[in-house]
Amino acid sequence: MSKNLTTRAEDYSKWYNELVVKADLAENSGVRGCMVIKPYGYAIWEKMQAELDRMFKETGHSNAYFPLFVPKSMFEAEEKNAEGFAKECAIVTHYRLKNDPDKPGKLMVDPNAKLEEELIVRPTSEAIIWSTYKGWIQSYRDLPLLINQWANVVRWEMRTRLFLRTAEFLWQEGHTAHATREEAIEESEKMMQVYADFAQNFMAIPVIKGLKTETERFAGAEETYCIEALMQDGKALQAGTSHFLGQNFAKAFDVKFANAEGKQEYVWGTSWGVSTRLMGALVMTHSDDNGLVLPPNLAPIQVVIVPIFKTDEEFEKISAVANDLVAQFKKLNISVKFDNRTTQKPGFKFAEWELKGVPVRIAIGPKDLENGTFEIARRDTLTKEVKSADGIARYISDLLEQIQSDLFNKALNYRDTHITEVSDFEEFKAILENKGGFISAHWDGTPETEEKIKELTKATIRCIALDRKEESGSCMFTGKPSTGRVLFAKAY
Amino acid sequence: MSKNLTTRAEDYSKWYNELVVKADLAENSGVRGCMVIKPYGYAIWEKMQAELDRMFKETGHSNAYFPLFVPKSMFEAEEKNAEGFAKECAIVTHYRLKNDPDKPGKLMVDPNAKLEEELIVRPTSEAIIWSTYKGWIQSYRDLPLLINQWANVVRWEMRTRLFLRTAEFLWQEGHTAHATREEAIEESEKMMQVYADFAQNFMAIPVIKGLKTETERFAGAEETYCIEALMQDGKALQAGTSHFLGQNFAKAFDVKFANAEGKQEYVWGTSWGVSTRLMGALVMTHSDDNGLVLPPNLAPIQVVIVPIFKTDEEFEKISAVANDLVAQFKKLNISVKFDNRTTQKPGFKFAEWELKGVPVRIAIGPKDLENGTFEIARRDTLTKEVKSADGIARYISDLLEQIQSDLFNKALNYRDTHITEVSDFEEFKAILENKGGFISAHWDGTPETEEKIKELTKATIRCIALDRKEESGSCMFTGKPSTGRVLFAKAY
């Protein structure tokens, strides 16, 4: 199976596209730009959802659900947001089909069923949610309002790629309202931290926390916090954003509250989201030329057991041992599959589970029965070892933790060796071309310079890292003064 | 609070509408026919989802996700389905807005961004899913394919009511593919049984399992299984359906498989779904003039503790006891809230939690501190008792189980006393008018008679109960022969 996969060195982009389809994560649908998330891919997304949902609830948030459609006039209310978002989107104009009188068996849009006001399929929900919050918030006692929504959204992308950029995608969007500026900023920062913890502890992806520049900021936000990851091809990927909205949406939708002194004030807001794009980040961070490599904390199947047998008698004996192993693993909450198909050979099974990124494979053959051993293979390192049955469940449990942390450290090492400091633009271009990764450089702080660099190199400022050193220098492009380095990269 | 609620006797419909809003379950949105599901309502839906999802997975199903949009031509492929479904629906015709040159700050649909083919916002997903299954199924080894999707769907309803009938609603839709007719029928029946078990064990709603008549059947199905519940006003509510699709969609989308002998055959299908409509059923089955009554198995908060105090010292002492209680409850997986707000009086809190249907309320006052007791109030019976602190957690845990089963039995008793056998049409009309409920009557089996009865009385055949007696008789309307009784009712 693995032999059919294009290698990363040959064509990274092709490797990704093939892998997503061959590993049964997702595929393109018959609807332009929309994907089908297949059961195996969806099972990973469900694990992400479960963990994020737990983290949101632990930090005091509740889930709710708001309409899919946003009337056109609501979009116009927050001008900057409308400018940034409302352009490329799916627009509902009619509400009825009828039989086509000229073509038997065909349907046509009923021209008499035109909507008075067009409805936009939500590209994001600030407008509809803030227009609702107006009815929910009267007094400081109603604050903070801490709400999250799991939903589908649509942005009419012209060039799409599975998970990374699709017309419809799944995400969560948090929308919170606060009595003070400080509290809203604290919330934005807290949720960025939740995303960073999730990326690092579950996805095993190291991320840089930072602020977006004005150009890259969310339309309608005063400040956008982000987490930025680095893929194996040296391109960056924005893995999550958290926006401090100031009072922009409160003003657009007239959301005020009476403070403790009874005075009316505009509410302060945040919004934050991650999407099925994370699936793309997961694939591109860890996987290799043999297929997916999944971190144990997100793998739908953590351990697969493959029997190696010639006779029915061998199969029965191995099955007994395997079933006992399954029972032991379940007690330790290890998710395990005994691949007892008799329609496929072991070699086929090995290749299939390798392609699907199962972290640990246990093979049991007649010799293992004799010796009381198992052959244990790690997906991430492609190494094998023979282990005795004593204490095997605990051993595997520890091994899964080890793999999780090894994957993170490997990705961290790659990331850290791909942050290059440069001082002039020629060096910048050379690094960008030959090595990729994040490039740390001085910048004069103007959108014009940022735009110019983007035009010339396709690199953008990924973020102003929160932990950057204050360091005076001069812009690599204009030579004008700068107060600190920012991180550039080509990005997904 | 409760005083503001219209009573059921005054106006059942108004009572329902008010209760859904006042208990913070849902509200109408600024988008025609679409609702906002508020956090408290959504928390109940999440509990339903979690339980159903567990049951689906236990019966071998996996989740996946398919596109929101269905190209118009896909709808036309399965003619009956198109006839039944594709008419009243939201249609996307354009994909871009632009600045309106005549109205500064306003947006307009860009006439140059018209789609070549219109996209329908899914009213259900058979078409898009079966067009996908074509690529997934080649051989009998690929079967059965057991997939479920949690999604939003849109049907352009003209008269909407919160949860019961909304333009957009949330649901799950199972879509399975099988090698044989028998296996597909078995699956349809199994999922009907899953729904019945869920309704009875979690929602505490007794249901009748049955088959729909041809008229009431899902468009494109050969047989529709359903579970029918009875609301407190004597109207029936279809709580879930499971369809045996025969080979209809396989033929429409050319989905064939090679059987074990290598011969090509069309695949057999099922689909089954329940929606946020269940929230409406839950409210209308158990709630009363004081507000919601929630079965403990679905209550986001099962127990609320309200402190009754005058001084800070009392409050502190009561808090210590309450916090200990919370810890004890959590150990038994009882979800508990200590309402320690100092901004509200106990009476206000009592009314609020009554309105929100929390099954058990525990009040702790200074006297209870002295005596080592608690005052325990049941929401369903509105009864109170004083209990000693010894073994209180176990007592409450048992009490919650008791409430769950009492609610079911109460609803069962109401339902069973509201199934009336009639033999002629005058009696039928009288019962329908004066008592409501299910009416068990002979019917000649023709759609014409069914239609006529509906025209004259608004009653429809809810189902042909699976456990009905074979009994020859004559149709109450036409006098023609009948082989058994069917269940009529007015329905939501």
Side-chain angles (χ1 to χ4, degrees), chain B residues 388-402:
Chain B
S388 123
D390 294 343
I392 187 73
R394 176 52 55 196
Y395 178 78
I396 295 292
S397 175
D398 293 344
L399 180 61
L400 289 168
E401 278 184 39
Q402 187 63 48

Side-chain angles (χ1 to χ4, degrees), chain B residues 223-481:
Chain B
E223 204 72 270
T224 289
Y225 296 84
C226 63
I227 55 169
E228 293 285 327
L230 193 65
M231 304 296 100
Q232 291 179 66
D233 62 347
K235 283 171 79 174
L237 186 144
Q238 174 182 298
T241 49
S242 178
H243 314 291
F244 167 59
L245 303 174
Q247 295 175 314
N248 291 343
F249 283 90
K251 286 179 179 165
F253 292 95
D254 193 34
V255 186
K256 289 181 189 164
F257 71 102
N259 67 18
E261 290 79 42
K263 219 187 106 200
Q264 292 286 311
E265 290 183 39
Y266 282 112
V267 168
W268 300 84
T270 84
S271 66
W272 28 274
V274 296
S275 73
T276 35
R277 194 160 210 246
L278 289 181
M279 293 287 296
L282 189 71
V283 172
M284 289 200 295
T285 301
H286 304 299
S287 300
D288 64 22
D289 296 343
N290 296 309
L292 281 186
V293 174
L294 294 176
N297 288 352
L298 292 178
I301 303 167
Q302 295 175 308
V303 179
V304 64
I305 303 172
V306 177
I308 297 169
F309 60 95
K310 291 214 174 91
T311 66
D312 286 356
E313 198 197 335
E314 279 174 4
F315 181 58
E316 265 172 45
K317 281 186 186 160
I318 292 171
S319 294
V321 173
N323 287 329
D324 175 60
L325 216 48
V326 167
Q328 287 186 55
F329 288 165
K330 287 200 169 157
K331 271 190 205 148
L332 296 179
N333 283 320
I334 296 170
S335 102
V336 55
K337 184 182 178 76
F338 173 35
D339 185 353
N340 59 1
R341 287 176 292 176
T342 51
T343 48
Q344 310 292 359
K345 297 243 161 86
F348 178 96
K349 294 178 183 178
F350 282 23
E352 179 173 348
W353 298 117
E354 210 163 271
L355 180 63
K356 290 197 161 181
V358 174
V360 172
R361 180 185 75 220
I362 300 179
I364 314 176
K367 224 174 221 164
D368 295 306
L369 285 184
E370 271 173 38
N371 304 336
T373 57
F374 303 111
E375 186 196 79
I376 294 166
R378 276 176 72 153
R379 174 62 187 89
D380 61 331
T381 54
L382 297 170
T383 51
K384 289 183 205 173
E385 57 179 342
V386 173
K387 275 279 162 190
S388 123
D390 294 343
I392 187 73
R394 176 52 55 196
Y395 178 78
I396 295 292
S397 175
D398 293 344
L399 180 61
L400 289 168
E401 278 184 39
Q402 187 63 48
I403 292 171
Q404 181 77 27
S405 91
D406 287 356
L407 282 175
F408 177 77
N409 287 323
K410 190 180 167 195
L412 181 63
N413 179 57
Y414 176 82
R415 201 276 309 272
D416 285 349
T417 54
H418 285 78
I419 303 180
T420 312
E421 285 199 1
V422 305
S423 48
D424 68 63
F425 192 55
E426 289 312 309
E427 201 186 345
F428 178 86
K429 285 189 289 188
I431 296 288
L432 198 65
E433 189 65 29
N434 302 319
K435 186 181 177 187
F438 290 113
I439 308 184
S440 177
H442 280 287
W443 160 62
D444 64 18
T446 69
E448 293 73 28
T449 301
E450 191 179 359
E451 184 57 36
K452 199 84 198 171
I453 293 170
K454 185 178 174 184
E455 269 174 42
L456 292 169
T457 65
K458 288 186 181 155
T460 50
I461 299 178
R462 301 318 303 154
C463 70
I464 302 158
L466 293 186
D467 64 356
R468 77 162 174 177
K469 287 178 300 198
E470 289 299 312
E471 175 195 298
S472 61
S474 47
C475 174
M476 65 156 171
F477 192 72
T478 61
K480 287 181 190 162

Side-chain angles (χ1 to χ4, degrees), chain A residues 57 62-65 136 147-148, chain B residues 16 19-27 35-49 162-163 170 275-280 282-283 292 294 298-301 353 355-357:
Chain A
K57 282 173 179 158
S62 303
N63 289 328
Y65 189 76
W136 293 3
I147 289 182
N148 176 61
Chain B
Y16 173 80
L19 179 51
V20 168
V21 173
K22 288 195 178 177
D24 279 340
L25 300 183
E27 66 183 34
M35 67 180 159
V36 172
I37 307 179
K38 299 180 78 172
Y40 192 63
Y42 201 84
I44 300 172
W45 176 242
E46 280 182 303
K47 292 205 118 187
M48 290 187 181
Q49 282 189 302
L162 292 169
F163 291 123
L170 303 183
S275 73
T276 35
R277 194 160 210 246
L278 289 181
M279 293 287 296
L282 189 71
V283 172
L292 281 186
L294 294 176
L298 292 178
I301 303 167
W353 298 117
L355 180 63
K356 290 197 161 181

Side-chain angles (χ1 to χ4, degrees), chain A residues 38-288:
Chain A
K38 299 180 79 173
Y40 192 63
Y42 200 84
I44 301 171
W45 175 242
E46 279 182 303
K47 293 205 118 186
M48 290 187 183
Q49 282 189 301
E51 189 52 38
L52 285 166
D53 199 69
R54 192 188 61 69
M55 294 173 92
F56 298 157
K57 282 173 179 158
E58 267 185 6
T59 45
H61 304 85
S62 303
N63 289 328
Y65 189 76
F66 298 85
L68 171 66
F69 301 125
V70 188
K72 184 164 71 71
S73 57
M74 262 190 210
F75 260 120
E76 294 160 349
E78 211 294 315
E79 207 180 327
K80 271 189 218 152
N81 192 51
E83 281 296 319
F85 260 103
K87 296 300 174 60
E88 304 293 329
C89 51
I91 307 164
V92 176
T93 57
H94 290 74
Y95 60 85
R96 191 188 301 130
L97 291 168
K98 62 173 201 170
N99 294 322
D100 191 329
D102 300 328
K103 297 177 195 157
K106 299 290 175 184
L107 297 166
M108 61 176 283
V109 176
D110 185 343
N112 294 322
K114 192 170 188 310
L115 291 172
E116 278 182 39
E117 179 177 12
E118 294 87 357
L119 297 174
I120 315 304
V121 180
R122 62 182 165 214
T124 181
S125 300
E126 276 77 7
I128 186 81
I129 288 180
W130 280 89
S131 77
T132 307
Y133 281 1
K134 183 175 165 59
W136 293 3
I137 299 169
Q138 276 86 43
S139 128
Y140 70 98
R141 286 187 204 87
D142 302 319
L143 298 173
L145 188 56
L146 304 174
I147 289 182
N148 176 61
Q149 164 170 274
W150 291 95
N152 53 346
V153 288
V154 173
R155 298 175 189 177
W156 208 262
E157 302 287 353
M158 281 300 146
R159 297 181 61 189
T160 61
R161 287 187 74 189
L162 292 169
F163 291 124
L164 296 172
R165 196 172 293 277
T166 47
E168 182 192 15
F169 58 88
L170 303 183
W171 79 344
Q172 61 67 220
E173 45 182 327
H175 296 272
T176 71
H178 306 264
T180 65
R181 179 186 188 89
E182 293 65 37
E183 202 186 293
I185 291 176
E186 195 186 312
E187 168 81 6
S188 320
E189 290 175 352
K190 184 196 284 173
M191 299 322 289
M192 171 195 62
Q193 188 57 51
V194 163
Y195 290 153
D197 290 346
F198 172 74
Q200 309 209 146
N201 300 334
F202 287 83
M203 301 181 69
I205 299 180
V207 294
I208 293 168
K209 293 176 283 185
L211 281 168
K212 287 288 180 191
T213 61
E214 195 189 328
T215 311
E216 298 282 328
R217 196 180 289 157
F218 172 70
E222 284 198 15
E223 205 71 270
T224 290
Y225 296 84
C226 63
I227 56 171
E228 294 284 327
L230 193 63
M231 304 297 100
Q232 291 179 65
D233 63 346
K235 282 171 79 175
L237 186 144
Q238 173 182 299
T241 49
S242 179
H243 314 291
F244 167 59
L245 303 174
Q247 295 175 315
N248 290 343
F249 284 90
K251 284 179 180 165
F253 293 95
D254 193 33
V255 186
K256 289 181 189 166
F257 71 102
N259 67 17
E261 290 79 43
K263 218 186 108 201
Q264 292 286 309
E265 288 183 39
Y266 283 112
V267 168
W268 299 85
T270 85
S271 66
W272 30 274
V274 297
S275 74
T276 36
R277 194 160 209 248
L278 290 181
M279 294 287 296
L282 189 71
V283 172
M284 289 200 296
T285 301
H286 304 299
S287 299
D288 64 24

Side-chain angles (χ1 to χ4, degrees), chain B residues 116-160:
Chain B
E116 279 182 36
E117 178 177 11
E118 293 89 355
L119 298 174
I120 316 302
V121 180
R122 63 183 164 214
T124 181
S125 301
E126 275 78 6
I128 185 81
I129 288 180
W130 279 89
S131 77
T132 307
Y133 281 1
K134 184 176 165 56
W136 292 4
I137 299 169
Q138 277 86 42
S139 129
Y140 70 97
R141 285 187 205 86
D142 302 320
L143 297 173
L145 189 56
L146 305 173
I147 289 183
N148 175 62
Q149 164 170 272
W150 290 96
N152 52 345
V153 288
V154 172
R155 298 174 188 178
W156 208 261
E157 303 285 353
M158 280 301 147
R159 297 181 60 189
T160 61

